[in-house]
Amino acid sequence: MEDNGGEDPVNNNNNTTVSSEGSIIKVTVKTPKDKEEIAISEDASVTQFKEEISRRFKAKQDQLVLIFAGKILKDGDSLNQHGIKDGLTVHLVIKTAHKAGDGASSSTSCTSQVGSSSGSSSGPSSAAHSSSVGSTGGPVSAPPQTPNILTGFGDLSSLSSMGMGSANFMELQQQMQSQLMSNPEMLSQIMENPLVQNMMSNPDLMRQMIVANPQMQQLMERNPEISHMLNNPELMRQTMELARNPAMMQEMMRNQDRALSNLESIPGGYNALRRMYTDIQEPMFSAARDQFGNNPFSALGGNSDGGVQPSRTENREPLPNPWGPPSSTDPSEGGGGTGTTGSSTAGSTNPSVSNPLAVNSASLGNGMFSSPGMQSLMQQISENPQLMQNMLSAPYMRSMMQSLAQNPDMASQNPASSPSTGTNPAQQLMMQQMLQMFAGGNASSQTPEVQFQQQLEQLGAMGFINREANLQALIATGGDVNAAIERLLGSQPS
Amino acid sequence: MDKNDTTTYSVQLYIYDLSRGMARNLSPIMLGKQLDGIWHSAIVVYGEEFYFGGVGISSCSPGGTMLGSPDTVVELGNTEVTEEIFMDYLSSLGENTYRGDKYRLFEHNCNTFTNEVAQFLTGRKIPSYITDLPSEVLSTPFGQILRPILDSIHIAPPGGNIINGRHS
């Protein structure tokens, strides 16, 4: 007449047979490989549970390790004790002799790794304070390269907390890179460190570092002028100054833009610029192309091939604004900044090696951002979030637009295919509107007529009186006046 | 009988934003809904960080991948599971459901792994905003368009060592 209600003071739960007392609960037992549902009495002990499990999983009881809610179920416990109820899941690990051996060895390797990471983290921190090279000999069995690099930075103790478990140099570089990326302050801190300044004012060392970057090497191969620039110590020094001072860099870039636009307006100047572009910048950007997926200047430079002589008409259109809205020359805005900084004026008095510079600061570590284009792009983006918004609308669309963009291009090259020319502007218009929609109703949600008003006026002033055709041509070329002129000239039946 | 004398190990969840804040700013525009981040997570226990990527289960020192320090750290609690048992468990997982080739960006990703390991170690799941992310993205038209592209992406933050099952 003893019933199994909870009020029985005698604790007789633990020792009886499986299904005599208590109700049966279904517990899911999950291994890494599979899971099974096991029916067991809710008052059963862990031992009994393991018996069931060993039968079901065909494993020996002492190979079974049961885990529930972060606790290991020991044989003497009861399921009740751990709160194992109907429908809950218990985890199981089956130790095989084989696996146990592996487990031991992997755990020893883990601990050794942990040991060395703690050892080497103490190493640089002590070295960081003493700031002497190679003095970490004592307690650390870590690789010697680690202390060498870091001790040079003196008391930048933040560097020592970077998770110094990395056993190889590459990892260290990557870590430094990621630190730099996440903390722009750190870069200026590093720059101000007198040791770094010393290092930087040593042009040979800087040159070596730059040259060590493989992408840089590629660029240099293609274009020996870059290596000339690098060899000029005065130039390097100026560049270092620039790196230290972002305001100065911006100022210089602005000067460049102004100089460029001045150049363009003088007769024959445009051609000189183009020559300069094709000789210097194009290969440079082709080299950095994979970051952009597109030569950023293709829209700007290549279209007016032999069509319009700028000396005939004064080119009043300002240089396409690299930081402007995406309605005109989409791909250029991301690359525009990098482009203008990379080029030098005709006299090449202004050094402006901003691109090699960008590689320089990135060459501290071979991160994914070490290409010159990407680096200055990131810089621009951090200064101007609007730009990011604009730019982001471009890359996602780019793959979709590229195929579409290729069609108008091809169509413009054979004016005979008038049917396709006819539908393309409409398609272009649609694409543009889609693009604007994705960009969140960005500035130009106007009709193309309003959008291209300035260009239309220009075309009118040049003598193209057919406003319809002008508009279509402008739409097809995305607002590029010179290219539109080409289209108009090509398609006129005269 | 009390168990307070067995050693416990603290378990933490490291959460990283793969977009570095871009998702928070741009998701309303691109997706039409607010996503605070593209979350990648890892479990930190026994002084090591464990995560699942396109190359399989990897480990490294905490915060030691290229992603740097985590955006958020969640304390999952304590576990009695010893390192030895855990490594056994991971090897088993790495041979089966968490091999490198089983990585799927939407359905079987780093967060799936982290969720499972968290439950193994502590019985608790990871915060739902992380595991809900794929369905959030897929429920937008933009996500549906991008799905074929995204499906082929395998996220594998460099900087770790791969824990091998015996054969993959």
Side-chain angles (χ1 to χ4, degrees), chain A residues 36-48:
Chain A
E36 297 256 356
E37 225 178 46
I38 303 225
I40 189 94
S41 156
E42 69 177 355
D43 299 318
S45 70
V46 171
T47 319
Q48 290 161 334

Side-chain angles (χ1 to χ4, degrees), chain A residues 56-129:
Chain A
R56 194 76 77 84
F57 285 88
K58 318 265 185 307
K60 304 224 308 254
Q61 261 184 272
D62 43 0
Q63 287 175 318
L64 306 178
V65 180
L66 284 172
I67 294 144
F68 181 72
K71 297 201 175 46
I72 300 186
L73 307 183
K74 301 200 184 10
D75 288 351
D77 304 339
S78 76
L79 298 186
N80 220 347
Q81 206 169 346
H82 285 279
I84 300 179
K85 300 199 189 349
D86 189 32
L88 295 183
T89 303
V90 173
H91 294 270
L92 170 70
V93 177
I94 302 180
K95 290 195 288 200
T96 59
H98 196 196
K99 274 191 189 173
D102 271 345
S105 61
S106 60
S107 64
T108 48
S109 66
C110 278
T111 48
S112 68
Q113 210 174 350
V114 170
S116 68
S117 68
S118 55
S120 53
S121 65
S122 60
S125 56
S126 61
H129 292 304

Side-chain angles (χ1 to χ4, degrees), chain A residues 374-391:
Chain A
M374 203 59 184
Q375 195 70 11
S376 54
L377 181 64
M378 294 305 290
Q379 190 188 356
Q380 281 188 17
I381 286 176
S382 52
E383 291 160 9
N384 181 4
Q386 180 70 11
L387 174 63
M388 185 65 218
Q389 192 170 336
N390 293 344
M391 202 213 138

Side-chain angles (χ1 to χ4, degrees), chain A residues 240-310:
Chain A
M240 298 316 141
E241 275 301 317
L242 278 188
R244 242 175 300 213
N245 189 348
M248 195 151 138
M249 172 117 76
Q250 255 191 323
E251 189 55 41
M252 168 148 315
M253 274 166 43
R254 265 187 280 254
N255 287 344
Q256 289 248 309
D257 287 339
R258 250 176 276 141
L260 264 186
S261 51
N262 285 343
L263 254 191
E264 189 164 338
S265 56
I266 63 184
Y270 183 72
N271 284 337
L273 272 184
R274 260 199 69 212
R275 236 179 303 135
M276 194 172 65
Y277 159 66
T278 42
D279 288 344
I280 298 178
Q281 263 177 268
E282 197 162 2
M284 212 171 191
F285 277 104
S286 308
R289 189 195 320 208
D290 43 37
Q291 296 290 344
F292 281 89
N294 196 5
N295 188 343
F297 272 77
S298 59
L300 280 185
N303 283 350
S304 54
D305 197 338
V308 178
Q309 289 303 320

Side-chain angles (χ1 to χ4, degrees), chain A residues 298-341:
Chain A
S298 59
L300 280 185
N303 283 350
S304 54
D305 197 338
V308 178
Q309 289 303 320
S311 51
R312 185 155 45 98
T313 63
E314 184 186 3
N315 187 357
R316 265 184 279 123
E317 189 186 5
L319 200 63
N321 186 357
W323 295 278
S327 57
S328 54
T329 56
D330 242 353
S332 73
E333 78 209 47
T338 54
T340 49
T341 58

